[in-house]
Amino acid sequence: MRVIVTGALGHIGSALIRQLPVFFDRPEILMVDNLSTQRYCSLFDLPAKGQYEFIQEDVRKTDWDKILPEADCLVHLAAITDAAGTADKPELVRDNNLGGTTAVTSACLKHDIPMIFPSSTSVYGSQNSLVDETCTELCPQSPYAESKIAEEILIKDFVTKGLKACICRFGTIYGKSVGMRFHTAVNKFCWQAVMGQPITVWRTAMDQKRPYLALSDACKALTHIIKGNLFGGSVYNIVTENHTVREVVETIQSFIPNLTAEYVDHKIMNQLSYEVSANKFKNTGFAFTGSLKKGIEETVKLLRNARA
Ligand SMILES: NC(=O)c1ccc[n+]([C@@H]2O[C@H](COP(=O)([O-])OP(=O)(O)OC[C@H]3O[C@@H](n4cnc5c(N)ncnc54)[C@H](O)[C@@H]3O)[C@@H](O)[C@H]2O)c1
């Protein structure tokens, strides 16, 4: 098995490249990342059971004709992912994310290589009920989510031309990895709580439900797609559970009792609560086993000696 992972040094990629040898026998793993987020540490101590090769390159400039033909599949994780931090930078996000996905998808179509694209449940934006993949009223709240929709449309168009692809709408990831980042809700709150900073909750968000995904479930889901050959062009919501911010904060509080919260405004926050159903993916035979409590516990433990 030869798998190409773009964005391999990121939060999800650094876990996936370590999990692939658990699910496949001595896989060849070709990792492409431009190091824009400087996660050198993601390449530390890779397990001997994997056969690794790293290419430091922008996916928009990679010579795909050279490296794709030998691959069995490609997992396209490379993207600018700080949705809040890039709220004022739509061109940057579009050039990098849609530009990268266009390059990768065109090459996968040309060489007939199946690909997995991680979209995001943030494409649903403001909804007021339980949503599934049939929802057509997408309400993206950021350039990041807008770009995800444009990338999904591009991939669906390529599927009509013969591309083998799977589009996953991931919930917000929690859980530790070597290359983890702390922009997203659960990880950011854990960081703030450990550091003795107030947890910054968007003013409207405390009792809003949002979809979350354990990193362990994300890696398991990606291998489930590869093993089950789920490359028929479908969209799947990949969500361990929906939680309110209050549930997240109270779970952190069970490990750090004296945390405080501060309400803040942000231009990409919205008023509505929504829940995302992952039944379609569960119906492919997948069981979510991650837990918010476990993810928070391991993240807090990682940082336990960071502040006396
Ligand atoms: N983490 C989440 O909560 C979450 C939720 C939904 C979807 N996703 C999606 O999953 C994918 C991976 O997310 P992550 O959390 O690991 O992100 P991350 O930011 O931790 O990692 C992304 C990696 O991509 C690399 N990269 C960015 N642009 C590149 C380019 N043009 N060429 C080569 N490398 C490039 C970065 O250097 C980084 O190592 C992204 O597409 C993201 O949108 C993530």
Side-chain angles (χ1 to χ4, degrees), residues 38-233:
Q38 310 252 327
R39 312 258 179 91
Y40 295 89
C41 53
S42 297
L43 293 178
F44 295 174
D45 300 320
L46 288 168
K49 276 164 51 187
Q51 304 179 66
Y52 295 96
E53 186 184 340
F54 176 60
I55 301 179
Q56 181 179 342
E57 231 161 39
D58 191 303
V59 293
R60 292 167 294 179
K61 296 184 185 141
T62 302
D63 184 354
W64 293 110
D65 289 339
K66 200 166 138 202
I67 62 172
L68 251 190
E70 303 298 311
D72 293 297
C73 70
L74 180 145
V75 184
H76 177 43
L77 302 175
I80 288 175
T81 56
D82 180 4
T86 54
D88 295 326
K89 297 175 184 138
E91 291 89 10
L92 176 75
V93 174
R94 202 176 165 86
D95 285 356
N96 190 76
N97 294 4
L98 181 58
T101 298
T102 304
V104 167
T105 309
S106 310
C108 284
L109 174 63
K110 179 174 170 191
H111 294 286
D112 195 25
I113 305 298
M115 67 171 285
I116 304 177
F117 173 68
S119 184
S120 163
T121 50
S122 64
V123 297
Y124 293 112
S126 299
Q127 305 288 337
N128 53 12
S129 61
L130 182 73
V131 285
D132 65 16
E133 296 84 348
T134 60
C135 171
T136 50
E137 304 284 308
L138 303 179
C139 301
Q141 304 290 308
S142 63
Y144 168 79
E146 279 163 15
S147 178
K148 286 291 184 199
I149 293 177
E151 291 165 82
E152 285 193 11
I153 290 169
L154 173 95
I155 292 170
K156 285 177 193 159
D157 179 44
F158 276 51
V159 165
T160 65
K161 296 173 183 150
L163 177 73
K164 298 183 183 114
C166 183
I167 297 173
C168 304
R169 290 180 180 160
F170 280 176
T172 300
I173 299 276
Y174 61 82
K176 68 171 183 181
S177 71
V178 179
M180 77 190 285
R181 63 190 170 95
F182 287 85
H183 307 128
T184 46
V186 177
N187 293 356
K188 185 169 87 178
F189 293 162
C190 288
W191 176 274
Q192 290 171 324
V194 170
M195 298 302 163
Q197 301 163 3
I199 290 185
T200 46
V201 179
W202 291 354
R203 192 173 305 282
T204 53
M206 203 58 168
D207 291 302
Q208 289 176 346
K209 276 209 165 182
R210 290 293 154 86
Y212 292 95
L213 175 61
L215 184 52
S216 55
D217 280 338
C219 292
K220 240 175 50 177
L222 292 169
T223 55
H224 176 80
I225 291 163
I226 297 171
K227 284 191 166 173
N229 200 17
L230 301 178
F231 292 111

Side-chain angles (χ1 to χ4, degrees), residues 277-299:
S277 161
N279 284 342
K280 182 177 171 187
F281 196 60
K282 287 180 189 165
N283 289 339
T284 68
F286 188 82
F288 290 91
T289 53
S291 111
L292 182 69
K293 187 162 187 203
K294 191 162 164 260
I296 286 175
E297 183 174 19
E298 63 188 25
T299 303

